[in-house]
Structure formats: C-alpha cells, structure tokens
C-alpha cells in the first residue's frame, strides 16, 4: 500500500471503488446562495448506484470546478471522493490531452488531434493522482472499476501500487484502428496503462479487436480470442496478485487480461415510465402544436460535438427542402444541441458553423408560420427530453463516429406506442444492436436523404415491426445488465474469463470485413 495521506479519510476501507474523471454529481446553488450537489442525470450513476449501495462503495472523481478543495462527502448513500485539479491541469489534462488529443484521435480523426508534450505530462500527473487516491481507499483485494479515456494510465499505476486489487476498465468511446492510433506519440504508454487492468471493456467487438491489434503491433504480446497474455515484470506483482498467473513459453510469469465488448445501455424502464406519464404525453402534444402541427416532426438530440454529424444531417435536410422533395409546411426538424466543451477551439468553430447553416436554411426555406429547423442550444430536464422523443416521428442519429449513442436507445425505450422511426448511423455502436433501425452512412448525403424520405413515408405497420424488435433489445440489455455482466466478468475466475461470452453476437468474418471496408471508404 502507498503511504497514505494522513489527511485522507477512509484509508483502505472500500471493497468497491469506481474511478471516473467526473464525479456523478453537479454543483448547484440554492435560492439562498448555498452551494450543494445534485446527482447528474447520467446512465452510469443509475447503473452503478445499486452496486455502490450494496458494496458500500466509493466513487473517486473531479467535481468539475478548477481549484476546488471539497472534502469527501456522502451523497444519496454513496461516498464521493473529490480529486483536486488546478486550473492549469484542467486546461492541459482535461481540455487539452483528453478533449483535444484523445477525443478526436479515437473518433477517427474527424477533427485533427493536437499533440503537445506538456498536455501529456499533465495527463500523467493527473492519472497518477487518481491512481494514488484509489490505492489509498481500496481495501485488501478490493475491486476497482476505472472509467473512460481520461484515465487510461490508471490501471497500470494502480496495479504497481496495489497488486492485490482486481482492476476493470471501461472505454466509453471507440478505440481506433491501428493506422490511426499509431499517430499518438504516447501510443505504447497508453496501451501499457490499460493492460494494468484484468478486464478491459469496449462498446463494440470492433473496438476490442482494434485494441488487441495495437497490443500485438506495439508490444508483440500473444492474443487468443479476447484474452491477452501479459508478461509480469515485477516480482511483487506475482506474489501479491490475487489473479491466476501462468507461465509463458519463455518461462516468464503471465497475467491473462481480457479485452472484449460490453455494450453500454440505459435504464430503459425509467424512460418508459416517464413516457407513460399523462403530463409528459400532454407536453409532447403541446410541442407539436407549438411547431404548427406539422405532418412530420424530426428530431436530433446531441451534445454539440463534431462527432455527432449534425452538419451532415442539416445538409441532407437542407437539400430535401431545396429540391422541393419536402415542404417546410409539412416537415420540421427540432435540433437540441446541448452546450459542450465550450472552451475548446474546435467546439467554438463547430458552433459557429452549425449556427450559420441553421440560419441559412431557416432564412431560405422558412415561412412566417413555419420554421424549417428549431435549433435549441440548451440542456433540458429528462422529462422534456422524453416529451420530445414522444413528439418526434423520426429520430435522426447521424454520428460520424460514436462509442454507443445513448440517445438512440432512449428514443426506442420511450416509444412504448411502437411509433416513430429511428434513422441510425452505422458508425454509432448502437447500430450493432438496433439492427431494425434505418441504418445509414451519414457521409453519403444522397443515402441519408433517401433514408429520411423512407422514414417519413414508412407505413405504420412497418414502423411498429421495426420498433418492437429494437425495444425488445433495449429492454433486455439495459444498463443494469451491462454493469452486472462487466462486474461478473471482472470478478469471476481467470479460467472462466478465458471463455468469455459477448452480450452482442460477434460479427461473422464477412460482416467484419464489410464493416472495415465501410470504415475505409468513409475515410
Ligand atoms: C459518451 C460516448 C456513449 C443530451 N442533451 C441533454 C441530455 N443529454 C443526454 C442524452 C444522453 C447523454 O446525454 C448523451 O449520451 P450519448 O451516448 O448520446 O453521447 P456522449 O455524451 O458523447 O457519451 C457515447 C456514452 O458516453 C456512454 O458510454 O454512448 O458514445 O460518446 O443520455 O439524453 N440530457 C438531458 N438534457 C439535455 O439537454 N437531460
């Protein structure tokens, strides 16, 4: 164990620890100006809350404010342990390396990644801080689950400090093909960092495959199916580890690391519950009335991010209006673009581009009584989101690259009426599961326009058939199932891990090849 910070409460107390960049709470200020925290509306919280409660677990993360020295506190029965970040670290580790290097790189360089050595240095320092904190708090033999791309070095750092721990890692965003990943100047360190985990989870089978390929190319380790044999260098790790240790061909001790897909999901039942509420249904009707009761309401809901393909969607809609295929009196698009990463230049530019395009389309095709695009640069309460999902005949998810895309699943979960059509990018992880959506290549504007028209004209019986199949999937594989399947893979014996069962059917060789071709072509 590391020498524990004498001021740190709860040393070695927790059997289950979650580590993520952000704590699952947002800071709010009440009417009297008193600050407090409120649970943030993410799926991860919903998924982990029951596990956290049962295990009396701790959640380590940043509060979202620079230079914030909030002490550990309890919120809704979960111990929250803030990690402090300076303003300089927020700029270099978070906005820089995480959001301006890794994010664009892992999303197939849709925007050019920036590589700066001082950002990397800050990433290392901050990852070490998170690892130190987890090492202090975890009990002997505890399970630690590290989340996402901001913390890829934590598994290795943590294993060095605490070889007795069981360590999981889940990557919420894609893992790119080697040809792209290999741009990263610190590609080997990141791979080694991740391999400190016992189980590395990805959204799609293809992501796990890309990772294993990078391991083979960069480190030359053997991989068999989803298992990677990782040589153990450190003697202390052999004696201290609770995991199965095998002997490699060269006589060196090895650890079996599993890299496979665990597609994340949502709390489907809670979306359906909201959608069945009469007040939310009334609100959905009100939204349609407010839009002038058009024949067709189309909807997009995204963080304002260049990965989401908002521009491609607007281009397709704009062209349909321009060539007269759809009429602004009949069809309207509501685009919620919730504010995101507003201090990163690429996001500022994106906002300008999108708002210019929306303005042009509305100026060219709007009438006094009908607006082509209702553009909303706000965040909304979940109730309002569900009302929008109910109001929308067609949901447009046209991401150019997306780990999963929960919006697609939320739409499906909300449509208990089996109405509505989902147009879904094949580049979103969700398209592996939601196979009866109208799947599109968003780069193909003609194809996208055709899919939009097909969605608009789709007979009710076909809508219902497609929606029923998608609803079955989302209801069965909800977020509780996601976390329990990850955690059971993590805590089961290494022997079991050698025979993992993916929750998603592994694509056949020809499907995988077709997907690779599609990716190549899209580039
Ligand atoms: C990352 C990966 C992966 C959006 N605007 C509002 C609002 N939202 C909610 C949505 C949805 C969530 O935010 C966005 O999740 P996504 O999955 O669509 O996308 P990312 O934020 O990029 O998430 C992604 C995910 O991690 C999980 O692993 O699926 O691929 O990129 O839940 O509903 N919620 C509310 N108001 C808004 O205005 N309440």
């Amino acid at each position: 164990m590391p020498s524990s910070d004498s001021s740190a409460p709860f040393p070695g107390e927790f059997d289950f620890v979650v580590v993520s960049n952000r704590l699952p709470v947002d800071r709010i200020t009440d009417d009297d100006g008193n600050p407090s925290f409120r649970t943030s509306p993410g799926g991860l919280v919903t998924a982990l809350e029951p596990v956290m409660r049962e295990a009396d677990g701790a959640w380590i993360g940043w509060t979202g404010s620079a230079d914030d020295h909030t002490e550990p506190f309890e919120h809704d029965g979960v111990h929250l342990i803030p990690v402090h970040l300076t303003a300089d670290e927020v700029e270099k580790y978070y906005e820089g390396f995480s959001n301006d290097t890794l994010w664009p790189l892992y999303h197939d360089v849709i925007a050019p990644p920036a590589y700066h050595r001082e950002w990397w240095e800050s990433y290392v320092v901050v990852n070490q801080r998170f690892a130190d904190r987890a090492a202090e708090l975890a009990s002997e033999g505890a399970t630690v689950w590290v989340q996402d791309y901001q913390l890829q070095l934590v598994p290795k750092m943590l294993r060095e400090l605490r070889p007795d721990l069981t360590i999981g890692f889940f990557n919420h965003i894609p893992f790119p093909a080697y040809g792209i990943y290999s741009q990263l100047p610190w590609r080997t360190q990141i791979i080694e960092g991740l391999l400190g985990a016992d189980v590395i989870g990805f959204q799609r089978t293809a992501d796990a495959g890309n990772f294993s390929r990078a391991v083979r190319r960069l480190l030359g380790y053997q991989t068999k199916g989803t298992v990677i044999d990782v040589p153990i260098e450190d003697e202390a790790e052999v004696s201290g580890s609770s995991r199965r240790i095998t002997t490699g061909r060269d006589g060196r001790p090895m650890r079996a690391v599993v890299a496979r897909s665990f597609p994340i999901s949502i709390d489907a039942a809670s979306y359906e519950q909201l959608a069945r509420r009469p007040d939310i249904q009334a609100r959905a009707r009100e939204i349609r009335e407010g839009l002038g009761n058009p024949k067709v309401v189309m909807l997009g809901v995204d963080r304002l991010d260049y990965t989401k393909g908002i521009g491609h969607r607007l281009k397709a809609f704009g062209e349909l209006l321009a060539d007269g295929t759809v009429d602004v009196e009949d069809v309207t698009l509501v685009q919620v673009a919730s504010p995101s990463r507003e201090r990163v230049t690429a996001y500022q530019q994106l906002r300008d581009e999108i708002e210019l395009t929306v303005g042009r389309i509305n100026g060219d095709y709007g009438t006094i009584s009908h607006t082509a695009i209702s553009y909303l640069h706000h965040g909304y309460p979940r109730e309002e989101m569900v009302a929008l999902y109910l109001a929308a005949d067609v949901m447009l998810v046209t991401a150019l690259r997306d780990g999963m895309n929960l919006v697609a699943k939320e739409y499906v979960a909300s449509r208990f009426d089996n109405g509505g059509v989902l147009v879904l990018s094949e580049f979103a992880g969700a398209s592996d599961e939601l196979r009866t959506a109208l799947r599109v290549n968003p780069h193909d504007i003609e194809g996208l326009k055709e899919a939009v028209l097909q969605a608009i004209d789709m007979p009710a019986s076909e809508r219902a058939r497609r929606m029923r199949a998608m609803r079955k999937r989302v209801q069965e594989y909800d977020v509780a199932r996601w976390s329990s399947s990850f955690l059971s893979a993590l805590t089961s014996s290494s022997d079991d891990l050698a025979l993992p069962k993916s929750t998603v059917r592994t694509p056949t060789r020809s499907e995988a090849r077709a997907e690779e071709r599609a990716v190549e072509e899209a580039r």
Side-chain angles (χ1 to χ4, degrees), residues 385-435:
M385 304 291 283
V386 173
L388 281 164
Y389 292 148
L390 285 177
D393 304 291
V394 178
M395 180 82 214
L396 298 175
V397 175
T398 56
L400 305 176
R401 210 12 118 195
D402 214 334
M404 177 56 62
N405 195 291
L406 296 180
V407 167
K409 292 188 172 181
E410 290 164 6
Y411 180 65
V412 167
S414 304
R415 296 311 297 246
F416 66 91
D417 59 346
N418 291 323
V421 182
L422 174 64
V423 175
L424 176 59
S425 165
E426 64 193 54
F427 298 103
S431 81
D432 280 0
E433 294 172 83
L434 306 179
R435 302 189 82 86

Side-chain angles (χ1 to χ4, degrees), residues 351-412:
R351 182 172 177 194
D352 289 346
E353 279 165 28
I354 297 294
E355 294 182 357
L356 184 70
T357 308
V358 169
R360 285 220 174 117
I361 293 176
N362 280 342
D364 285 346
Y365 309 111
T367 63
I368 296 286
S369 53
H370 289 88
T371 310
I373 302 166
S374 295
Y375 170 78
L376 307 157
H377 185 246
H378 306 291
Y380 289 95
R382 188 182 283 191
E383 288 76 4
E384 183 74 357
M385 304 291 283
V386 173
L388 281 164
Y389 292 148
L390 285 177
D393 304 291
V394 178
M395 180 82 214
L396 298 175
V397 175
T398 56
L400 305 176
R401 210 12 118 195
D402 214 334
M404 177 56 62
N405 195 291
L406 296 180
V407 167
K409 292 188 172 181
E410 290 164 6
Y411 180 65
V412 167

Side-chain angles (χ1 to χ4, degrees), residues 218-239:
L218 290 169
L219 301 172
Y221 295 167
Q222 297 224 329
T223 65
K224 195 171 158 212
T226 57
V227 179
I228 304 170
D229 283 331
V230 178
I232 303 177
E233 309 291 349
D234 184 358
E235 271 306 308
E237 216 188 287
V238 180
S239 51

Side-chain angles (χ1 to χ4, degrees), residues 41-43 103 107 148 170-174 203 264 266 271 301-303 305 307-308 336 338 341 378-383 385 389 402-408 410:
W103 180 269
H107 288 88
D148 228 358
F170 185 77
N171 196 48
H172 290 255
I173 67 174
Q203 302 277 27
I264 200 168
I266 57 164
Y271 277 89
V301 172
D302 312 82
R303 272 189 311 99
D305 195 296
T307 60
K308 304 289 182 184
V336 176
S338 41
R341 304 177 189 172
H378 306 291
Y380 289 95
R382 188 182 283 191
E383 288 76 4
M385 304 291 283
Y389 292 148
D402 214 334
M404 177 56 62
N405 195 291
L406 296 180
V407 167
E410 290 164 6

Side-chain angles (χ1 to χ4, degrees), residues 218-294:
L218 290 169
L219 301 172
Y221 295 167
Q222 297 224 329
T223 65
K224 195 171 158 212
T226 57
V227 179
I228 304 170
D229 283 331
V230 178
I232 303 177
E233 309 291 349
D234 184 358
E235 271 306 308
E237 216 188 287
V238 180
S239 51
S241 177
S242 57
R243 314 294 296 175
R244 186 176 62 116
I245 308 280
T246 58
T247 307
R249 263 186 266 161
D250 56 1
R252 281 196 296 176
M254 301 274 201
R255 238 167 14 93
V257 172
V258 169
R260 55 168 273 217
S261 67
F262 296 88
I264 200 168
S265 193
I266 57 164
D267 180 10
S270 79
Y271 277 89
E272 174 157 355
Q273 233 169 39
L274 286 175
R276 284 186 183 277
R277 259 171 49 183
D279 58 327
I280 291 181
Q281 290 172 20
R283 175 65 191 142
R285 284 191 294 275
E286 198 177 275
I287 289 170
R288 288 190 75 104
E289 272 158 35
L291 293 166
N293 268 327

